[in-house]
Amino acid sequence: MTSPASVVLVFLDPAFPDGRLADASKPQLLVTDQGATRGDGIFETMLAVGGNVRKVQAHLNRLARSADALDLVIPPEDEWRRAIGTALSEYRSEYPPASAAEDELVVKLVVTRGVEGAAAPTAWVQVSPTGALARRQRETGIDVILLDRGYDSDAAERAPWLLLGAKTLSYAVNMAALRHAHKQGADDVIFISSDGRVLEGPTSTVLLAHAGTSDDGTSVKRLITPQLDSGILPGTSQGALFTAAKAAGWELGYGPLEPQDLLDADAVWLISSVRLLAPVNRIDGKEIGTPSVQKELTAELNELFAGIQ
């Protein structure tokens, strides 16, 4: 567990152009803040490697889309970028990395609606070290179970007030799903819609791949993700990896996907900004793909992903 001593907080504050440093070991949020009392807010989680935040523009764009979905007015991009710079600089000065391999940090952007009647939201940047679990799951893979999310795949279009596809602070259901998976001896979850479509993980995007040869003997690799209009959060990592994979000659596809498509794939991954590519070894106890093919495809995609900024 990360201790408050190894966390740096920087609040976005009009009186501090580059952000206001705050002591993470002391209380900072009012108990009446609607982020705490109602989960009324949004967030983004990014990975910084060597002091550089990956895909920062994509995350800022998604933060803005989530804010629009919640009718939440948030600070402009330039304020976020300055606060991110302040937080990273402070962290790396206070806690210099022991080695280049350990120079990975989690950068979290959080905005709440503030206290009742507040004229401005509460907004801050949090920097902390990555956990060993995320790094281990990249290397060893994960076992997942399928869980019914309780919505059909048209719910997002039919009921936009459900905020499906927005990255909100209301993560109690996501965390409950992970706890349920752990009780079943699994590491993670893939949500399925009530009409049988593959959606996403509680904190990740689903990817699957097929590898083969065409009639003329040419190698063909196809990377597929669920349809984005099914109420899932558009993954910044998935989007960036698709761009890199297309440039490298991969074919790309967007669902619709059913559970059997996962079982028939040569490889399946859960991908997110901090954990990166986590190979799925088993789904509901059934082994996925061929280990040697999965290993080869994972290595190729990791190499493509490493070049993404």
Side-chain angles (χ1 to χ4, degrees):
M1 182 179 294
T2 301
S3 67
S6 57
V7 173
V8 165
L9 292 180
V10 173
F11 281 82
L12 280 73
D13 186 328
F16 296 81
D18 295 327
R20 172 174 57 83
L21 279 166
D23 188 343
S25 67
K26 294 189 167 87
Q28 298 294 336
L29 197 66
L30 290 172
V31 295
T32 52
D33 192 290
Q34 293 177 85
T37 59
R38 296 177 178 172
D40 192 356
I42 57 177
F43 75 101
E44 285 290 325
T45 305
M46 308 178 291
L47 182 68
V49 180
N52 298 311
V53 181
R54 302 183 69 185
K55 303 184 280 85
V56 64
Q57 187 61 55
H59 283 282
L60 289 171
N61 290 346
R62 192 168 66 179
L63 188 76
R65 290 195 299 270
S66 295
D68 286 343
L70 272 70
D71 295 320
L72 182 62
V73 177
I74 65 173
E77 279 188 16
D78 61 330
E79 292 185 24
W80 283 110
R81 287 182 178 275
R82 290 198 299 270
I84 291 167
T86 298
L88 278 174
S89 177
E90 178 70 16
Y91 191 98
R92 300 183 83 232
S93 173
E94 188 74 18
Y95 311 104
S99 66
E102 295 179 9
D103 197 5
E104 285 190 358
L105 296 172
V106 178
V107 181
K108 194 169 185 178
L109 315 181
V110 186
V111 192
T112 79
R113 203 172 296 276
V115 299
E116 290 279 359
T122 306
W124 69 92
V125 176
Q126 173 182 312
V127 176
S128 58
T130 57
L133 178 62
R135 293 192 295 270
R136 184 168 67 249
Q137 290 184 347
R138 295 176 201 167
E139 299 169 0
T140 63
I142 55 177
D143 292 347
V144 308
I145 59 173
L146 303 179
L147 290 183
D148 186 345
R149 196 174 200 174
Y151 303 111
D152 62 48
S153 57
D154 294 326
E157 182 177 357
R158 189 176 63 251
W161 53 86
L162 292 176
L163 299 177
L164 302 178
K167 198 170 179 68
T168 73
L169 293 175
S170 304
Y171 253 47
V173 170
N174 302 55
M175 297 301 100
L178 287 175
R179 289 193 297 272
H180 179 77
H182 297 161
K183 290 175 184 176
Q184 312 308 311
D187 303 298
D188 214 317
V189 166
I190 293 176
F191 284 125
I192 305 297
S193 68
S194 59
D195 53 343
R197 298 289 176 84
V198 175
L199 297 174
E200 60 191 343
T203 63
S204 57
T205 304
V206 178
L207 297 177
L208 65 83
H210 291 284
T213 55
S214 63
D215 293 338
D216 62 3
T218 304
S219 174
V220 176
K221 290 168 288 190
R222 183 171 175 80
L223 194 59
I224 309 170
T225 197
Q227 284 179 302
L228 297 180
D229 61 359
S230 56
I232 65 176
L233 182 74
T236 62
S237 295
Q238 170 267 316
L241 184 59
F242 262 42
T243 299
K246 182 178 181 179
W250 286 63
E251 295 182 357
L252 306 178
Y254 291 88
L257 298 173
E258 299 179 353
Q260 190 61 45
D261 295 313
L262 300 174
L263 301 178
D264 292 341
D266 290 317
V268 176
W269 302 270
L270 293 185
I271 184 172
S272 56
S273 292
V274 173
R275 187 170 57 181
L276 307 180
L277 275 168
V280 175
N281 298 325
R282 282 170 285 274
I283 297 177
D284 287 342
K286 300 174 184 176
E287 292 193 6
I288 301 302
T290 305
S292 60
V293 175
Q294 183 200 65
K295 184 176 181 180
E296 178 183 341
L297 295 177
T298 300
E300 182 173 345
L301 290 176
N302 274 330
E303 186 174 350
L304 291 175
F305 202 44
I308 295 170
Q309 296 300 320

